[in-house]
Amino acid sequence: MASYGIILGTCSNREANYDAKLYWKQVSQNIANNTTTIRVWSVIENNGSSYNWSGTLSNWRLTVNGATRTRATTTSDSDTSWTWPSGWTDSETGVVITTYRTECIPEPVLYEEFTIPHNSDGTKTVTFSHSYSLLSGGAGPGNVSISGTMVLNTIARASSISSFTMPTALTPNTANSISFTLTTYSSFTHDISLKIGSTTIKSWLGSTVTTGTLPLTASEVNTLLANMPTAMSATITLIVQTKSGSTNIGSAVFKTTTCTISPEVKPNIPTITASQAISMPAGISVFVKGKSKILFSIGNIGMPLNSGTSIKSCVLTYLGSNFTCLLSDPIGSASYTTPYLTWSGTQNFTITITDNRNQINTNIISITAYDYSAPIITLSGTRSGSTITLSRAASTTYTLNNQNTITLRLYKRAVGAAWAELDTYALTDSNSSPLSVSASNVAFTGHIATISYEYKCEVTDKFETIASPTLLFPATTVEAALSIGTKSVAIGKFVDTGETYTLDVSGDTSLDGDLVITGDLNVSSFPSNTKEALVDLIYPVGSIYITTSTASPATLFPGTSWQTYGNGRVLVGYNPTDTLFNTIGKTGGSKDAIIVSHKHKQKMNSADTGLGSHTWHTGVPDDGVSKYGAFPADVTATTSTRSYVYTETVGASGTNANIQPYIVVNMWERTS
């Protein structure tokens, strides 16, 4: 490498007497542009021989690093000593300048200047090529040729990034660092920046570190996390600008790498509590199948401080299904209320909190629900005169963790009177299963023989009251064929109904006259088999029921099944002798009549009956036989002329409505 130099050439004439030379010198270097500017002189020297020259300079051509310069033909000065340009002394060239004649070719332009771009690493080797002709009779140097290469001083270049990583995953509020290695070409400083997207996380100005680590504070890590709200990893960029003092060396270079977030950065573990969502009977704190709804209250919903993301969802999972919980605003808690419980036993309920990076945290709570059904009650008894003996019992197997209770009550009344409670048996807080109370063969006395009595029991637990069937104990003595109550009359028995304005008959009833009913006939009290028999009598299976109502007859006659019948059709009577109507349920016909193209003819024939008298047969077809019923009588008239009339019309084909006047109703067929 050098900042100046000399390249020697050859002469085609008297080479022993002349030295052809190129002198070059570095003028300046531009670090930013990576270029060197040099000046080049072309010199011919007399090496001490007594040869002088004068003549024409031609074909002057100088090429440096591929750039060519030329000069016009000139007349060379002779016997002229050349003085070195100012600022370039003998010591600079390293060449001893003799006292012999020296000529700068050409004059008066002493040099050419070139700006040479260097390689990207700052190095440069320059190629020189120079030629000209200087003829002076037989004494000049003739054709001169000079070529060679020179290595310029290297220009310091910008550093490059060899490697860049962030070896440790990010954790909120925790310092971190980046690792990198620079390839440098000189002892420069560097301005280093770390970016994510368009956000600069940190800058290190004037750094002298070329390999190793650079620190990130906890706050800077939190900024990185804030720029990664929906992902567990992201691309970060290291930007390096090489500096020489305050001057940029080349352009900034960059390299990317991936930074990741620690998998421990996830939602907080939620808290869960379960409580009754609806009011429960006093003393019931457990969850009960069919009676309880569970309110889940979820707390501690959130992210660790400065984690850079937020909560996306809260989901409750149980019995194989997922249910989205209602998040509070701002997010911090959530709730979910189940439907009425359809299960018993112990179930696990899992709360899953998901953030916007799809990281999750869970918590599990186990809930026990107790099975439940209404209590069972029985009541039986007998009457003997004024004494009625009863046995009653109530029980339940659903103790509800010893929180259920049962109470058995007995009620009595004379028929038509108000109910009165006789006694109560209660069982509470028993550890036995099932819970049960009973009273067997208990005799109740004091009943009037001519009065009918009713007894019933009710059992009550924490949720329901169940009544037993009412037992009727009829009067034991009939003293009159006719019994008249306050507003009722009984024949062959005592009045023992609570209904008013009634006639109550014991046994069969025979009427010699008509039965006239001015009020409603209430069939609701008929025995079910009686009502079914009436329906079967009036509408046996296969019957057709016609109505203007859209409701199925099954709603009027419970226990029967019906299907719509004859939709869009009219009914036709059965006729075993007509093939169209000899099968029940057979269908046919069309509401549109299809007419085929045809002709209508009328021919009037005449016959003589005397002079001027003729007879016409009207409307008779060609064959003389009527196919359309009776025709009018023949017409006879007297006329002086005889004439014949024949007419014919054509009927068109097509489809024409053939619908009789109608009214729409619903028809149903009983199927069972």
Side-chain angles (χ1 to χ4, degrees):
M1 293 185 293
S3 57
Y4 56 84
I6 301 172
I7 303 173
L8 301 178
T10 61
C11 302
S12 63
N13 189 44
R14 297 188 182 276
E15 188 170 16
N17 302 107
Y18 297 103
D19 292 327
K21 301 178 180 178
L22 277 179
Y23 289 85
W24 70 271
K25 179 182 180 181
Q26 175 182 306
V27 177
S28 64
Q29 283 189 323
N30 188 318
I31 295 175
N33 294 332
N34 196 29
T35 59
T36 295
T37 299
I38 64 172
R39 290 175 181 173
V40 181
W41 289 264
S42 176
V43 176
I44 186 75
E45 294 180 350
N46 186 318
N47 60 12
S49 303
S50 57
Y51 287 95
N52 298 324
W53 65 85
S54 62
T56 300
L57 174 68
S58 62
N59 300 323
W60 193 93
R61 183 183 182 89
L62 174 62
T63 300
V64 177
N65 198 48
T68 300
R69 310 279 173 84
T70 60
R71 295 292 180 182
T73 300
T74 61
T75 301
S76 176
D77 295 337
S78 60
D79 298 331
T80 301
S81 297
W82 176 55
T83 303
W84 289 99
S86 174
W88 198 1
T89 63
D90 291 351
S91 59
E92 287 176 320
T93 63
V95 178
V96 176
I97 304 300
T98 67
T99 58
Y100 301 111
R101 289 185 294 276
T102 302
E103 187 74 12
C104 180
I105 304 300
E107 288 185 310
V109 179
L110 299 180
Y111 62 84
E112 290 288 341
E113 191 167 278
F114 297 85
T115 297
I116 311 297
H118 283 233
N119 300 322
S120 60
D121 62 357
T123 63
K124 186 62 182 178
T125 298
V126 182
T127 300
F128 297 82
S129 176
H130 182 42
S131 63
Y132 59 89
S133 297
L134 184 58
L135 302 176
S136 179
N143 297 320
V144 176
S145 177
I146 307 172
S147 64
T149 59
M150 288 292 174
V151 178
L152 302 182
N153 289 333
T154 299
I155 298 176
R157 299 313 304 137
S159 302
S160 62
I161 306 172
S162 302
S163 64
F164 169 45
T165 61
M166 179 174 278
T168 305
L170 301 174
T171 301
N173 311 308
T174 304
N176 209 312
S177 64
I178 59 171
S179 297
F180 71 102
T181 299
L182 301 181
T183 298
T184 60
Y185 303 99
S186 186
S187 300
F188 294 128
T189 61
H190 302 91
D191 287 350
I192 302 175
S193 296
L194 178 66
K195 299 184 77 173
I196 179 169
S198 60
T199 302
T200 299
I201 301 301
K202 186 172 186 177
S203 295
W204 297 268
L205 303 180
S207 172
T208 58
V209 178
T210 59
T211 183
T213 61
L214 290 174
L216 292 172
T217 66
S219 176
E220 291 158 351
V221 168
N222 293 342
T223 302
L224 264 177
L225 291 169
N227 282 272
M228 303 166 63
T230 60
M232 289 297 289
S233 63
T235 298
I236 55 176
T237 304
L238 188 69
I239 303 171
V240 176
Q241 174 65 64
T242 304
K243 304 284 286 190
S244 177
S246 60
T247 302
N248 290 342
I249 304 300
S251 300
V253 294
F254 67 90
K255 195 174 185 67
T256 62
T257 192
T258 299
C259 69
T260 59
I261 301 174
S262 169
E264 296 304 313
V265 182
K266 55 187 177 181
N268 301 327
I269 298 176
T271 60
I272 315 171
T273 58
S275 60
Q276 300 281 0
I278 58 176
S279 178
M280 299 294 282
I284 296 293
S285 60
V286 296
F287 299 110
V288 181
K289 177 182 177 181
K291 300 298 181 180
S292 292
K293 295 182 179 180
I294 302 177
L295 170 62
F296 288 96
S297 300
I298 303 102
N300 195 39
I301 298 178
M303 297 296 300
L305 184 64
N306 298 318
S307 60
T309 190
S310 57
I311 298 300
K312 180 168 65 175
S313 65
C314 173
V315 174
L316 174 68
T317 302
Y318 71 99
L319 295 177
S321 298
N322 295 328
F323 303 91
T324 300
C325 302
L326 179 64
L327 290 167
S328 64
D329 185 19
I331 295 174
S333 62
S335 62
Y336 178 79
T337 300
T338 69
Y340 281 104
L341 302 186
T342 59
W343 52 273
S344 60
T346 300
Q347 294 288 341
N348 286 335
F349 291 75
T350 301
I351 293 294
T352 301
I353 308 298
T354 304
D355 66 21
N356 284 304
R357 296 188 184 116
N358 290 323
Q359 296 295 102
I360 65 171
N361 218 332
T362 62
N363 200 354
I364 298 175
I365 185 173
S366 293
I367 301 293
T368 298
Y370 291 86
D371 200 4
Y372 173 79
S373 185
I376 299 171
I377 187 171
T378 60
L379 174 65
S380 62
T382 59
R383 178 174 184 175
S384 177
S386 63
T387 301
I388 295 177
T389 303
L390 298 176
S391 294
R392 53 210 146 104
S395 65
T396 179
T397 58
Y398 306 102
T399 61
L400 308 182
N401 198 32
N402 299 325
Q403 295 180 9
N404 200 5
T405 63
I406 57 173
T407 301
L408 180 61
R409 294 180 174 87
L410 179 64
Y411 297 88
K412 165 194 172 182
R413 72 175 181 179
V415 171
W419 288 102
E421 182 177 343
L422 290 184
D423 58 20
T424 299
Y425 290 89
L427 181 64
T428 59
D429 301 325
S430 172
N431 291 325
S432 63
S433 179
L435 296 174
S436 63
V437 291
S438 63
S440 300
N441 298 319
V442 178
F444 295 88
T445 60
H447 299 88
I448 300 173
T450 59
I451 297 178
S452 297
Y453 294 89
E454 291 178 318
Y455 278 81
K456 70 175 181 180
C457 285
E458 288 182 350
V459 60
T460 302
D461 69 356
K462 288 290 187 177
F463 293 102
E464 296 188 31
T465 296
I466 303 298
S468 70
T470 299
L471 296 184
L472 173 64
F473 297 96
T476 59
T477 301
V478 177
E479 296 180 350
L482 178 66
S483 173
I484 301 176
T486 305
K487 296 181 180 180
S488 299
V489 175
I491 299 175
K493 60 177 290 185
F494 287 97
V495 173
D496 57 5
T497 176
E499 300 294 332
T500 58
Y501 302 107
T502 62
L503 173 62
D504 191 4
V505 179
S506 174
D508 296 335
T509 301
S510 177
L511 300 176
D512 291 336
D514 296 334
L515 175 63
V516 179
I517 301 174
T518 58
D520 295 332
L521 177 61
N522 184 1
V523 299
S524 62
S525 61
F526 282 17
S528 60
N529 57 348
T530 302
K531 290 185 285 185
E532 291 172 1
L534 287 174
V535 173
D536 290 342
L537 179 64
I538 300 171
Y539 292 108
V541 172
S543 297
I544 303 300
Y545 181 83
I546 300 177
T547 178
T548 57
S549 171
T550 59
S552 169
T555 62
L556 297 174
F557 311 124
T560 62
S561 297
W562 299 76
Q563 64 181 11
T564 56
Y565 187 81
N567 293 341
R569 295 182 178 274
V570 296
L571 301 179
V572 176
Y574 171 76
N575 185 351
T577 63
D578 190 329
T579 57
L580 292 177
F581 312 121
N582 62 356
T583 303
I584 297 297
K586 187 175 182 178
T587 59
S590 171
K591 69 178 181 180
D592 296 322
I594 300 175
I595 302 174
V596 180
S597 178
H598 58 286
K599 294 180 180 180
H600 301 274
K601 294 181 180 181
Q602 184 179 46
K603 184 177 181 181
M604 301 178 69
N605 302 321
S606 67
D608 293 339
T609 60
L611 177 61
S613 177
H614 303 274
T615 300
W616 285 270
H617 303 284
T618 60
V620 179
D622 291 342
D623 57 6
V625 179
S626 171
K627 297 181 177 62
Y628 307 101
F631 287 91
D634 293 343
V635 177
T636 302
T638 300
T639 180
S640 59
T641 61
R642 178 182 297 176
S643 64
Y644 299 91
V645 180
Y646 183 91
T647 61
E648 177 177 294
T649 60
V650 178
S653 64
T655 301
N656 296 280
N658 185 30
I659 303 176
Q660 59 189 341
Y662 62 85
I663 186 169
V664 178
V665 295
N666 260 321
M667 294 187 292
W668 300 81
E669 179 188 15
R670 183 176 175 186
T671 58
S672 66

